Structures are given as structure tokens and as C-alpha cells.
Amino acid sequence: MSDEQQPYMREVRSFVKRSGRMTPSQAKALETQFAQYGLKLEQGLLDLTAVFGREAPLVVEIGFGMGDSLVAMAQAMPEKNFIGIEVHEPGVGRLLNNVALAGLTNVRVFCADAIKVLEQCLPAASIDTLQLFFPDPWPKKKHHKRRIVQPAFAEQLRGHLRVGGIFHMATDWQPYAEHMMEVMTAAPGYRNPLGEGQYAPQPEHRPVTKFQRRGEKLGHGVWDLMFERIS
């Protein structure tokens, strides 16, 4: 089949880029603070020691929303470096503003697709913890292919986690928790340190997010999952 005859194949993405309202302070932070704290895909493979000016354990969070919990973790754990990845500019702007106000030096941020960040920018075996908190559950069956936790993603991530590194997920949608558990239990090179099929208690270092509070108000449970890279 020629290129002209091939059907158009749209890239399947795990997110929808929503056009949220940008406040003046968020817009100003994007304009004035991104040069100091921001990272871009165009930079290519990062020298993390140069980026942070030190060597330290790296925590990466995909989809940090408005960034409040990421800032809280960075403040509570100054001995670690944090990279946040988010596609929604208002959330990036809020994070940048709060990082600057707090005078944090251990946070950097991408406003980009997390899959491309992993592919292009993060070195092999560089991540100590990958956090994925309350991603879009894509509840309709026809949209399940958009869920970010899939076998291909688990394999891609494994190459970026150090051996002993942790993939930490959380969701308030039970079917998605079960999907995550199924995918990660079958994923080569990982193990559940709590035992097969076991969910983790919410660790003290994970702040309660607005998505968690919203889910709890709706009567949802919350499920944390942790998988360790073992090979």
C-alpha cells in the first residue's frame, strides 16, 4: 500500500490538553520563572548533575496538576531532586510561582508530553521514584487504550528507573486500580514488595491531593500501588 493509500493513524495520547484559565500570576511565572526552573524537550538528553548542580536521588512526577503536592514533597525532602511533568500551562505556572516563592532549588519542570520526556530527555537508570497520582482513568471501555499504564509504558519506564527504584501509582477509580495491578504484575522486571495483588497504604510522604479529596467526597476509595524495578 502506498503512503497516499494508507489510512491516517492518529497518535493515541493518555491526556487531553484542556484550555484552563490562566491567572495573571501564573502567566507571569511562566514568563519570568521558566528560564530558571523549566526544561524543554529540545534540550535532549539531560545531564542531571548539571541541571540541579548536585547529585541526589531523583523523583519524577507525571501529571502534577496544579503542583501543590509536588511543592510540599520538595519542601519536605530537600535531599531529593524533583522533576514535574505536566501539559496544562496553568498548573505549570502555579508550580513555578510557588517554587519561586518558596525559594526551592530542587525542582524543575517540563510542560510537555511525559512519554516524549522519557524518550528524549531522561537518562537510563536515572529515576529513583516515578510518581503517577490520579491520572485520567478513561472509564469508558473504548477509551481504555488511552490509559497511560500499559505494558509498553511499563517497559519504557523500566529502562529509566534504577534497579531498586519505585513506580508509585495512586487512583480513586477502582477499575483503574485493578487495571494497573494487572499490568504491573505481568510486567517483566518488576515486583510488588508487598506481595502479589497487594495495594500499599498511603505513605506519609504523599500529600492528599485535591483529586483525592474530591474522590473521597464522592465516596470513592483510594488505591496506592508500588512496584520495584528488580532487573
Side-chain angles (χ1 to χ4, degrees):
M1 183 181 292
S2 69
D3 291 342
E4 290 79 8
Q5 292 173 313
Q6 289 183 3
Y8 173 69
M9 297 297 289
R10 187 176 65 179
E11 180 182 5
V12 176
R13 289 187 172 180
S14 61
F15 63 88
V16 172
K17 191 169 183 180
R18 301 174 181 86
S19 55
R21 178 179 175 273
M22 182 92 67
T23 68
S25 65
Q26 291 165 359
K28 183 177 180 180
L30 277 170
E31 180 181 347
T32 61
Q33 303 297 338
F34 194 86
Q36 180 175 354
Y37 300 106
L39 300 170
K40 296 182 178 181
L41 294 174
E42 292 78 12
Q43 292 175 247
L45 193 64
L46 297 176
D47 178 340
L48 294 170
T49 301
V51 166
F52 288 97
R54 66 174 186 173
E55 292 186 9
L58 178 64
V59 179
V60 175
E61 181 165 347
I62 293 176
F64 57 74
M66 300 308 287
D68 294 353
S69 64
L70 181 56
V71 169
M73 285 185 285
Q75 287 177 307
M77 295 181 280
E79 74 280 5
K80 296 184 178 183
N81 293 333
F82 290 80
I83 291 179
I85 307 172
E86 179 56 68
V87 296
H88 303 295
E89 291 184 348
V92 174
R94 180 179 174 90
L95 176 75
L96 290 169
N97 192 42
N98 288 337
V99 165
L101 288 173
L104 298 176
T105 60
N106 62 334
V107 179
R108 298 294 185 271
V109 60
F110 279 97
C111 186
D113 182 343
I115 301 299
K116 293 181 179 178
V117 172
L118 289 174
E119 288 175 349
Q120 301 176 30
C121 301
L122 293 179
S126 62
I127 302 174
D128 285 79
T129 303
L130 190 289
Q131 300 179 164
L132 180 69
F133 298 154
F134 304 97
D136 194 325
W138 295 103
K140 293 182 179 179
K141 187 174 182 180
K142 66 179 181 179
H143 291 151
H144 284 185
K145 63 181 178 292
R146 294 182 177 272
R147 291 174 170 175
I148 188 170
V149 180
Q150 304 286 359
F153 177 76
E155 182 60 24
Q156 180 186 24
L157 173 59
R158 183 165 68 110
H160 295 285
L161 281 172
R162 66 170 180 82
V163 174
I166 297 294
F167 180 21
H168 180 188
M169 299 152 275
T171 182
D172 66 338
W173 191 261
Q174 185 174 358
Y176 198 11
E178 294 168 351
H179 169 86
M180 290 172 168
M181 184 66 76
E182 180 181 355
V183 169
M184 294 308 302
T185 298
Y190 291 92
R191 76 175 183 97
N192 184 339
L194 296 174
E196 186 170 339
Q198 297 300 306
Y199 295 95
Q202 179 177 339
E204 291 184 2
H205 68 261
R206 179 173 76 74
V208 175
T209 69
K210 74 170 186 176
F211 295 102
Q212 181 171 344
R213 288 192 292 268
R214 183 179 66 186
E216 289 173 341
K217 286 181 180 179
L218 294 171
H220 297 180
V222 174
W223 291 265
D224 280 75
L225 300 85
M226 292 189 183
F227 279 80
E228 176 188 4
R229 180 189 170 184
I230 58 172
S231 66

